[in-house]
Each structure stands twice: as C-alpha cells, then as structure tokens.
mmCIF file of all heavy atoms in Angstrom:
data_model
loop_
_atom_site.group_PDB
_atom_site.id
_atom_site.type_symbol
_atom_site.label_atom_id
_atom_site.label_comp_id
_atom_site.label_asym_id
_atom_site.label_seq_id
_atom_site.Cartn_x
_atom_site.Cartn_y
_atom_site.Cartn_z
ATOM 1 N N ASP A 34 116.056 131.505 97.836
ATOM 2 C CA ASP A 34 117.011 130.937 98.781
ATOM 3 C C ASP A 34 116.375 130.138 99.901
ATOM 4 O O ASP A 34 116.746 129.050 100.146
ATOM 5 C CB ASP A 34 118.028 132.104 99.265
ATOM 6 C CG ASP A 34 119.145 131.585 100.080
ATOM 7 O OD1 ASP A 34 119.701 130.578 99.577
ATOM 8 O OD2 ASP A 34 119.500 131.952 101.173
ATOM 9 N N GLY A 35 115.395 130.748 100.352
ATOM 10 C CA GLY A 35 114.669 130.044 101.428
ATOM 11 C C GLY A 35 113.959 128.767 100.971
ATOM 12 O O GLY A 35 114.054 127.765 101.537
ATOM 13 N N ARG A 36 113.356 128.906 99.762
ATOM 14 C CA ARG A 36 112.725 127.675 99.112
ATOM 15 C C ARG A 36 113.785 126.560 98.987
ATOM 16 O O ARG A 36 113.534 125.398 99.272
ATOM 17 C CB ARG A 36 112.089 128.059 97.824
ATOM 18 C CG ARG A 36 111.423 126.910 97.044
ATOM 19 C CD ARG A 36 111.201 127.246 95.545
ATOM 20 N NE ARG A 36 112.530 127.430 95.040
ATOM 21 C CZ ARG A 36 112.700 128.145 93.895
ATOM 22 N NH1 ARG A 36 111.592 128.610 93.274
ATOM 23 N NH2 ARG A 36 113.873 128.205 93.325
ATOM 24 N N ASP A 37 114.869 126.972 98.406
ATOM 25 C CA ASP A 37 115.891 125.949 98.046
ATOM 26 C C ASP A 37 116.391 125.230 99.407
ATOM 27 O O ASP A 37 116.768 124.105 99.458
ATOM 28 C CB ASP A 37 117.145 126.542 97.277
ATOM 29 C CG ASP A 37 116.667 126.932 95.911
ATOM 30 O OD1 ASP A 37 115.572 126.590 95.500
ATOM 31 O OD2 ASP A 37 117.441 127.738 95.225
ATOM 32 N N ARG A 38 116.714 126.026 100.362
ATOM 33 C CA ARG A 38 116.960 125.516 101.757
ATOM 34 C C ARG A 38 116.037 124.605 102.285
ATOM 35 O O ARG A 38 116.337 123.564 102.831
ATOM 36 C CB ARG A 38 117.256 126.638 102.755
ATOM 37 C CG ARG A 38 118.425 127.566 102.447
ATOM 38 C CD ARG A 38 118.526 128.708 103.525
ATOM 39 N NE ARG A 38 119.523 129.629 103.190
ATOM 40 C CZ ARG A 38 120.151 130.515 104.122
ATOM 41 N NH1 ARG A 38 119.477 130.509 105.353
ATOM 42 N NH2 ARG A 38 120.991 131.240 103.775
ATOM 43 N N LEU A 39 114.812 125.013 102.239
ATOM 44 C CA LEU A 39 113.727 124.129 102.746
ATOM 45 C C LEU A 39 113.565 122.863 101.917
ATOM 46 O O LEU A 39 113.479 121.684 102.481
ATOM 47 C CB LEU A 39 112.354 124.876 102.754
ATOM 48 C CG LEU A 39 111.096 124.036 103.266
ATOM 49 C CD1 LEU A 39 111.392 123.688 104.803
ATOM 50 C CD2 LEU A 39 109.926 124.879 103.256
ATOM 51 N N GLU A 40 113.753 122.937 100.587
ATOM 52 C CA GLU A 40 113.731 121.674 99.853
ATOM 53 C C GLU A 40 114.792 120.840 100.101
ATOM 54 O O GLU A 40 114.729 119.593 100.038
ATOM 55 C CB GLU A 40 113.501 122.092 98.377
ATOM 56 C CG GLU A 40 112.213 122.600 97.992
ATOM 57 C CD GLU A 40 111.064 121.633 98.321
ATOM 58 O OE1 GLU A 40 111.141 120.420 98.040
ATOM 59 O OE2 GLU A 40 109.918 122.209 98.748
ATOM 60 N N LYS A 41 116.022 121.390 100.314
ATOM 61 C CA LYS A 41 117.239 120.519 100.595
ATOM 62 C C LYS A 41 116.921 119.785 101.966
ATOM 63 O O LYS A 41 117.311 118.613 102.053
ATOM 64 C CB LYS A 41 118.333 121.492 100.851
ATOM 65 C CG LYS A 41 119.651 120.773 101.280
ATOM 66 C CD LYS A 41 120.850 121.762 101.413
ATOM 67 C CE LYS A 41 121.913 120.953 101.965
ATOM 68 N NZ LYS A 41 123.089 121.882 102.372
ATOM 69 N N GLU A 42 116.382 120.421 102.967
ATOM 70 C CA GLU A 42 116.128 119.733 104.250
ATOM 71 C C GLU A 42 115.039 118.635 103.928
ATOM 72 O O GLU A 42 115.149 117.513 104.594
ATOM 73 C CB GLU A 42 115.538 120.721 105.322
ATOM 74 C CG GLU A 42 116.665 121.633 105.818
ATOM 75 C CD GLU A 42 117.890 121.013 106.358
ATOM 76 O OE1 GLU A 42 117.674 119.879 106.948
ATOM 77 O OE2 GLU A 42 118.959 121.486 106.277
ATOM 78 N N LEU A 43 113.955 118.849 103.301
ATOM 79 C CA LEU A 43 112.941 117.931 102.957
ATOM 80 C C LEU A 43 113.528 116.803 102.120
ATOM 81 O O LEU A 43 113.073 115.689 102.294
ATOM 82 C CB LEU A 43 111.821 118.491 102.331
ATOM 83 C CG LEU A 43 110.810 119.203 103.164
ATOM 84 C CD1 LEU A 43 110.103 120.350 102.564
ATOM 85 C CD2 LEU A 43 109.980 118.163 103.850
ATOM 86 N N LYS A 44 114.496 116.963 101.241
ATOM 87 C CA LYS A 44 115.020 115.937 100.493
ATOM 88 C C LYS A 44 115.702 114.918 101.338
ATOM 89 O O LYS A 44 115.653 113.719 101.237
ATOM 90 C CB LYS A 44 115.991 116.518 99.406
ATOM 91 C CG LYS A 44 116.535 115.567 98.433
ATOM 92 C CD LYS A 44 117.256 116.165 97.338
ATOM 93 C CE LYS A 44 117.665 114.902 96.317
ATOM 94 N NZ LYS A 44 118.403 115.518 95.147
ATOM 95 N N SER A 45 116.445 115.479 102.437
ATOM 96 C CA SER A 45 117.129 114.609 103.356
ATOM 97 C C SER A 45 116.277 114.018 104.520
ATOM 98 O O SER A 45 116.697 113.097 105.078
ATOM 99 C CB SER A 45 118.320 115.401 104.017
ATOM 100 O OG SER A 45 119.208 115.997 103.140
ATOM 101 N N ASN A 46 115.145 114.703 104.661
ATOM 102 C CA ASN A 46 114.202 114.203 105.700
ATOM 103 C C ASN A 46 112.792 114.215 105.187
ATOM 104 O O ASN A 46 111.945 115.000 105.768
ATOM 105 C CB ASN A 46 114.294 115.248 106.925
ATOM 106 C CG ASN A 46 115.785 115.257 107.403
ATOM 107 O OD1 ASN A 46 116.177 114.427 108.117
ATOM 108 N ND2 ASN A 46 116.419 116.375 107.018
ATOM 109 N N PRO A 47 112.493 113.429 104.238
ATOM 110 C CA PRO A 47 111.043 113.481 103.651
ATOM 111 C C PRO A 47 109.962 113.189 104.561
ATOM 112 O O PRO A 47 108.801 113.360 104.387
ATOM 113 C CB PRO A 47 111.175 112.544 102.446
ATOM 114 C CG PRO A 47 112.316 111.638 102.817
ATOM 115 C CD PRO A 47 113.238 112.336 103.711
ATOM 116 N N ASN A 48 110.254 112.463 105.650
ATOM 117 C CA ASN A 48 109.108 111.995 106.567
ATOM 118 C C ASN A 48 109.156 112.767 107.853
ATOM 119 O O ASN A 48 108.607 112.403 108.808
ATOM 120 C CB ASN A 48 109.393 110.428 106.890
ATOM 121 C CG ASN A 48 109.328 109.679 105.699
ATOM 122 O OD1 ASN A 48 108.357 109.838 104.844
ATOM 123 N ND2 ASN A 48 110.138 108.602 105.472
ATOM 124 N N ASN A 49 109.690 113.972 107.788
ATOM 125 C CA ASN A 49 109.699 114.865 109.007
ATOM 126 C C ASN A 49 108.332 115.664 108.946
ATOM 127 O O ASN A 49 108.144 116.468 108.041
ATOM 128 C CB ASN A 49 110.911 115.708 108.986
ATOM 129 C CG ASN A 49 111.043 116.571 110.232
ATOM 130 O OD1 ASN A 49 110.177 117.334 110.547
ATOM 131 N ND2 ASN A 49 112.115 116.410 110.940
ATOM 132 N N VAL A 50 107.614 115.324 109.891
ATOM 133 C CA VAL A 50 106.225 116.022 109.985
ATOM 134 C C VAL A 50 106.362 117.501 110.068
ATOM 135 O O VAL A 50 105.632 118.207 109.321
ATOM 136 C CB VAL A 50 105.542 115.410 111.221
ATOM 137 C CG1 VAL A 50 104.175 116.179 111.501
ATOM 138 C CG2 VAL A 50 105.150 114.028 111.164
ATOM 139 N N GLU A 51 107.249 117.960 110.883
ATOM 140 C CA GLU A 51 107.356 119.433 111.110
ATOM 141 C C GLU A 51 107.852 120.141 109.782
ATOM 142 O O GLU A 51 107.396 121.194 109.350
ATOM 143 C CB GLU A 51 108.131 119.765 112.259
ATOM 144 C CG GLU A 51 107.939 121.209 112.736
ATOM 145 C CD GLU A 51 108.378 121.355 114.237
ATOM 146 O OE1 GLU A 51 108.891 120.470 114.814
ATOM 147 O OE2 GLU A 51 108.231 122.512 114.708
ATOM 148 N N LEU A 52 108.777 119.511 109.097
ATOM 149 C CA LEU A 52 109.187 120.095 107.814
ATOM 150 C C LEU A 52 108.154 120.160 106.830
ATOM 151 O O LEU A 52 107.960 121.099 106.035
ATOM 152 C CB LEU A 52 110.502 119.356 107.316
ATOM 153 C CG LEU A 52 111.804 119.544 107.955
ATOM 154 C CD1 LEU A 52 112.831 118.682 107.512
ATOM 155 C CD2 LEU A 52 112.210 121.140 107.999
ATOM 156 N N ARG A 53 107.357 119.059 106.789
ATOM 157 C CA ARG A 53 106.180 119.070 105.768
ATOM 158 C C ARG A 53 105.129 120.144 106.274
ATOM 159 O O ARG A 53 104.539 120.747 105.276
ATOM 160 C CB ARG A 53 105.501 117.663 105.842
ATOM 161 C CG ARG A 53 106.418 116.471 105.422
ATOM 162 C CD ARG A 53 106.700 116.384 103.849
ATOM 163 N NE ARG A 53 105.621 116.002 103.172
ATOM 164 C CZ ARG A 53 105.420 114.720 102.633
ATOM 165 N NH1 ARG A 53 106.264 113.758 102.946
ATOM 166 N NH2 ARG A 53 104.429 114.470 101.958
ATOM 167 N N PHE A 54 104.889 120.296 107.511
ATOM 168 C CA PHE A 54 104.120 121.403 107.969
ATOM 169 C C PHE A 54 104.532 122.708 107.575
ATOM 170 O O PHE A 54 103.710 123.565 107.017
ATOM 171 C CB PHE A 54 103.952 121.325 109.469
ATOM 172 C CG PHE A 54 103.486 122.624 110.109
ATOM 173 C CD1 PHE A 54 102.123 123.081 109.862
ATOM 174 C CD2 PHE A 54 104.253 123.481 110.763
ATOM 175 C CE1 PHE A 54 101.682 124.213 110.538
ATOM 176 C CE2 PHE A 54 103.950 124.591 111.373
ATOM 177 C CZ PHE A 54 102.569 125.036 111.168
ATOM 178 N N ILE A 55 105.829 122.987 107.592
ATOM 179 C CA ILE A 55 106.478 124.250 107.291
ATOM 180 C C ILE A 55 106.190 124.528 105.774
ATOM 181 O O ILE A 55 105.671 125.629 105.276
ATOM 182 C CB ILE A 55 107.942 124.434 107.616
ATOM 183 C CG1 ILE A 55 108.150 124.384 109.155
ATOM 184 C CG2 ILE A 55 108.507 125.550 106.961
ATOM 185 C CD1 ILE A 55 109.585 124.096 109.521
ATOM 186 N N ARG A 56 106.567 123.531 104.914
ATOM 187 C CA ARG A 56 106.276 123.717 103.491
ATOM 188 C C ARG A 56 104.805 123.938 103.170
ATOM 189 O O ARG A 56 104.444 124.844 102.330
ATOM 190 C CB ARG A 56 106.915 122.500 102.793
ATOM 191 C CG ARG A 56 106.753 122.582 101.266
ATOM 192 C CD ARG A 56 107.445 121.570 100.500
ATOM 193 N NE ARG A 56 106.824 120.186 100.737
ATOM 194 C CZ ARG A 56 107.476 119.186 100.145
ATOM 195 N NH1 ARG A 56 108.447 119.250 99.521
ATOM 196 N NH2 ARG A 56 106.862 117.943 100.479
ATOM 197 N N LEU A 57 103.919 123.205 103.737
ATOM 198 C CA LEU A 57 102.551 123.284 103.434
ATOM 199 C C LEU A 57 102.032 124.658 103.875
ATOM 200 O O LEU A 57 101.341 125.222 103.006
ATOM 201 C CB LEU A 57 101.733 122.196 104.197
ATOM 202 C CG LEU A 57 100.212 122.449 104.176
ATOM 203 C CD1 LEU A 57 99.641 122.299 102.728
ATOM 204 C CD2 LEU A 57 99.477 121.366 105.080
ATOM 205 N N SER A 58 102.518 125.132 104.987
ATOM 206 C CA SER A 58 101.986 126.525 105.482
ATOM 207 C C SER A 58 102.450 127.618 104.535
ATOM 208 O O SER A 58 101.723 128.521 104.191
ATOM 209 C CB SER A 58 102.602 126.696 106.876
ATOM 210 O OG SER A 58 102.091 125.852 107.798
ATOM 211 N N ILE A 59 103.729 127.407 103.956
ATOM 212 C CA ILE A 59 104.214 128.469 102.988
ATOM 213 C C ILE A 59 103.458 128.207 101.680
ATOM 214 O O ILE A 59 103.011 129.304 101.075
ATOM 215 C CB ILE A 59 105.727 128.378 102.916
ATOM 216 C CG1 ILE A 59 106.213 128.813 104.235
ATOM 217 C CG2 ILE A 59 106.235 129.110 101.693
ATOM 218 C CD1 ILE A 59 107.841 128.501 104.348
ATOM 219 N N GLN A 60 103.507 126.982 101.111
ATOM 220 C CA GLN A 60 102.762 126.887 99.804
ATOM 221 C C GLN A 60 101.335 127.225 99.779
ATOM 222 O O GLN A 60 100.859 127.751 98.724
ATOM 223 C CB GLN A 60 103.043 125.413 99.267
ATOM 224 C CG GLN A 60 104.388 125.071 98.873
ATOM 225 C CD GLN A 60 104.643 123.775 98.133
ATOM 226 O OE1 GLN A 60 103.604 123.039 98.161
ATOM 227 N NE2 GLN A 60 105.780 123.530 97.797
ATOM 228 N N TYR A 61 100.667 126.939 100.837
ATOM 229 C CA TYR A 61 99.315 127.243 100.937
ATOM 230 C C TYR A 61 98.930 128.863 100.850
ATOM 231 O O TYR A 61 97.944 129.260 100.371
ATOM 232 C CB TYR A 61 98.745 126.678 102.123
ATOM 233 C CG TYR A 61 97.039 126.620 102.170
ATOM 234 C CD1 TYR A 61 96.433 125.773 101.449
ATOM 235 C CD2 TYR A 61 96.438 127.632 102.836
ATOM 236 C CE1 TYR A 61 95.104 125.770 101.443
ATOM 237 C CE2 TYR A 61 95.036 127.635 102.943
ATOM 238 C CZ TYR A 61 94.371 126.692 102.169
ATOM 239 O OH TYR A 61 92.985 126.707 102.214
ATOM 240 N N HIS A 62 99.928 129.642 101.420
ATOM 241 C CA HIS A 62 99.617 131.008 101.508
ATOM 242 C C HIS A 62 100.315 131.989 100.578
ATOM 243 O O HIS A 62 99.962 133.144 100.492
ATOM 244 C CB HIS A 62 99.913 131.403 102.943
ATOM 245 C CG HIS A 62 98.944 130.930 104.001
ATOM 246 N ND1 HIS A 62 99.191 129.798 104.763
ATOM 247 C CD2 HIS A 62 97.691 131.286 104.348
ATOM 248 C CE1 HIS A 62 98.174 129.475 105.522
ATOM 249 N NE2 HIS A 62 97.222 130.406 105.293
ATOM 250 N N ILE A 63 101.296 131.397 99.863
ATOM 251 C CA ILE A 63 101.916 132.397 98.964
ATOM 252 C C ILE A 63 101.197 132.636 97.621
ATOM 253 O O ILE A 63 100.446 131.790 97.164
ATOM 254 C CB ILE A 63 103.403 131.935 98.681
ATOM 255 C CG1 ILE A 63 103.412 130.574 97.931
ATOM 256 C CG2 ILE A 63 104.181 131.941 100.008
ATOM 257 C CD1 ILE A 63 104.831 130.108 97.552
ATOM 258 N N PRO A 64 101.508 133.708 96.960
ATOM 259 C CA PRO A 64 100.861 133.878 95.634
ATOM 260 C C PRO A 64 101.131 132.776 94.583
ATOM 261 O O PRO A 64 102.214 132.229 94.584
ATOM 262 C CB PRO A 64 101.422 135.105 95.156
ATOM 263 C CG PRO A 64 101.965 135.867 96.290
ATOM 264 C CD PRO A 64 102.445 134.753 97.235
ATOM 265 N N LYS A 65 100.093 132.457 93.897
ATOM 266 C CA LYS A 65 100.304 131.424 92.865
ATOM 267 C C LYS A 65 101.293 131.558 91.864
ATOM 268 O O LYS A 65 101.983 130.746 91.411
ATOM 269 C CB LYS A 65 98.846 131.172 92.190
ATOM 270 C CG LYS A 65 97.808 130.748 93.016
ATOM 271 C CD LYS A 65 97.847 129.301 93.264
ATOM 272 C CE LYS A 65 96.463 128.919 94.028
ATOM 273 N NZ LYS A 65 96.757 127.936 95.127
ATOM 274 N N TYR A 66 101.628 132.873 91.496
ATOM 275 C CA TYR A 66 102.613 133.218 90.402
ATOM 276 C C TYR A 66 104.013 132.834 90.833
ATOM 277 O O TYR A 66 104.798 132.702 89.977
ATOM 278 C CB TYR A 66 102.450 134.566 89.999
ATOM 279 C CG TYR A 66 102.994 135.694 91.122
ATOM 280 C CD1 TYR A 66 104.217 135.901 91.280
ATOM 281 C CD2 TYR A 66 101.982 136.344 91.772
ATOM 282 C CE1 TYR A 66 104.611 136.900 92.278
ATOM 283 C CE2 TYR A 66 102.346 137.237 92.736
ATOM 284 C CZ TYR A 66 103.612 137.509 92.966
ATOM 285 O OH TYR A 66 104.076 138.381 93.928
ATOM 286 N N LEU A 67 104.231 132.496 92.175
ATOM 287 C CA LEU A 67 105.561 132.152 92.525
ATOM 288 C C LEU A 67 105.921 130.674 92.138
ATOM 289 O O LEU A 67 107.085 130.303 92.031
ATOM 290 C CB LEU A 67 105.831 132.416 94.033
ATOM 291 C CG LEU A 67 105.940 133.745 94.418
ATOM 292 C CD1 LEU A 67 105.865 133.875 95.976
ATOM 293 C CD2 LEU A 67 107.129 134.470 93.831
ATOM 294 N N GLY A 68 104.811 130.016 91.741
ATOM 295 C CA GLY A 68 105.106 128.488 91.165
ATOM 296 C C GLY A 68 105.537 127.573 92.323
ATOM 297 O O GLY A 68 106.000 126.554 91.800
ATOM 298 N N TYR A 69 105.167 127.782 93.520
ATOM 299 C CA TYR A 69 105.717 126.941 94.598
ATOM 300 C C TYR A 69 104.443 126.353 95.310
ATOM 301 O O TYR A 69 104.163 126.669 96.422
ATOM 302 C CB TYR A 69 106.573 127.640 95.602
ATOM 303 C CG TYR A 69 107.304 126.831 96.537
ATOM 304 C CD1 TYR A 69 108.042 125.671 96.236
ATOM 305 C CD2 TYR A 69 107.334 127.190 97.985
ATOM 306 C CE1 TYR A 69 108.708 124.942 97.179
ATOM 307 C CE2 TYR A 69 107.982 126.407 98.882
ATOM 308 C CZ TYR A 69 108.534 125.297 98.546
ATOM 309 O OH TYR A 69 109.318 124.502 99.508
ATOM 310 N N HIS A 70 103.628 125.502 94.533
ATOM 311 C CA HIS A 70 102.451 124.926 95.076
ATOM 312 C C HIS A 70 102.343 123.539 94.881
ATOM 313 O O HIS A 70 101.229 122.960 95.133
ATOM 314 C CB HIS A 70 101.270 125.708 94.555
ATOM 315 C CG HIS A 70 101.140 127.068 94.899
ATOM 316 N ND1 HIS A 70 101.767 128.096 94.311
ATOM 317 C CD2 HIS A 70 100.503 127.666 95.976
ATOM 318 C CE1 HIS A 70 101.579 129.224 94.935
ATOM 319 N NE2 HIS A 70 100.786 128.974 95.895
ATOM 320 N N ASN A 71 103.477 122.882 94.304
ATOM 321 C CA ASN A 71 103.226 121.540 93.868
ATOM 322 C C ASN A 71 103.138 120.307 94.834
ATOM 323 O O ASN A 71 102.926 119.246 94.661
ATOM 324 C CB ASN A 71 104.369 121.164 92.864
ATOM 325 C CG ASN A 71 105.792 121.555 93.423
ATOM 326 O OD1 ASN A 71 105.834 122.398 94.226
ATOM 327 N ND2 ASN A 71 106.815 120.834 92.909
ATOM 328 N N HIS A 72 103.335 120.829 96.282
ATOM 329 C CA HIS A 72 103.307 119.738 97.212
ATOM 330 C C HIS A 72 102.140 119.931 98.294
ATOM 331 O O HIS A 72 102.115 119.337 99.226
ATOM 332 C CB HIS A 72 104.640 119.730 98.019
ATOM 333 C CG HIS A 72 105.777 119.330 97.228
ATOM 334 N ND1 HIS A 72 106.043 118.097 96.786
ATOM 335 C CD2 HIS A 72 106.759 120.171 96.694
ATOM 336 C CE1 HIS A 72 107.127 118.048 96.051
ATOM 337 N NE2 HIS A 72 107.604 119.364 96.043
ATOM 338 N N ILE A 73 101.175 120.765 97.938
ATOM 339 C CA ILE A 73 100.112 121.063 98.909
ATOM 340 C C ILE A 73 99.403 119.881 99.284
ATOM 341 O O ILE A 73 99.177 119.604 100.399
ATOM 342 C CB ILE A 73 99.184 122.242 98.432
ATOM 343 C CG1 ILE A 73 99.984 123.684 98.339
ATOM 344 C CG2 ILE A 73 97.830 122.377 99.305
ATOM 345 C CD1 ILE A 73 99.198 124.787 97.685
ATOM 346 N N GLU A 74 98.841 119.195 98.296
ATOM 347 C CA GLU A 74 97.963 118.041 98.531
ATOM 348 C C GLU A 74 98.811 116.897 99.172
ATOM 349 O O GLU A 74 98.358 116.297 100.205
ATOM 350 C CB GLU A 74 97.310 117.608 97.276
ATOM 351 C CG GLU A 74 96.210 118.457 96.763
ATOM 352 C CD GLU A 74 95.118 118.883 97.705
ATOM 353 O OE1 GLU A 74 94.698 118.014 98.441
ATOM 354 O OE2 GLU A 74 94.867 120.114 97.895
ATOM 355 N N SER A 75 99.911 116.599 98.685
ATOM 356 C CA SER A 75 100.750 115.602 99.349
ATOM 357 C C SER A 75 101.144 115.871 100.748
ATOM 358 O O SER A 75 101.132 115.009 101.613
ATOM 359 C CB SER A 75 102.007 115.222 98.411
ATOM 360 O OG SER A 75 102.887 116.327 98.416
#
C-alpha cells in the first residue's frame, strides 16, 4: 500500500526532488526479495 501510494505521487510529480529522495532511501535499504529496487540508480 505504501509503495503504491509513493509511486502514485511520483507518477504525478516525477521531478520532485524530495519524493525521489524518499523512494531512493526506501529502495536502497529494503530487502532485495521485495523486488522494489528498480529506481535506485535513476
């Protein structure tokens, strides 16, 4: 639910620095098996 909410905000605001920071912080630290790591480098 949290992931979907964050992605919805990012879809509407792809150039928001703080939203990109939030996603990076989460993707960088969560376990790999959750499969939510596809935006780390970008």
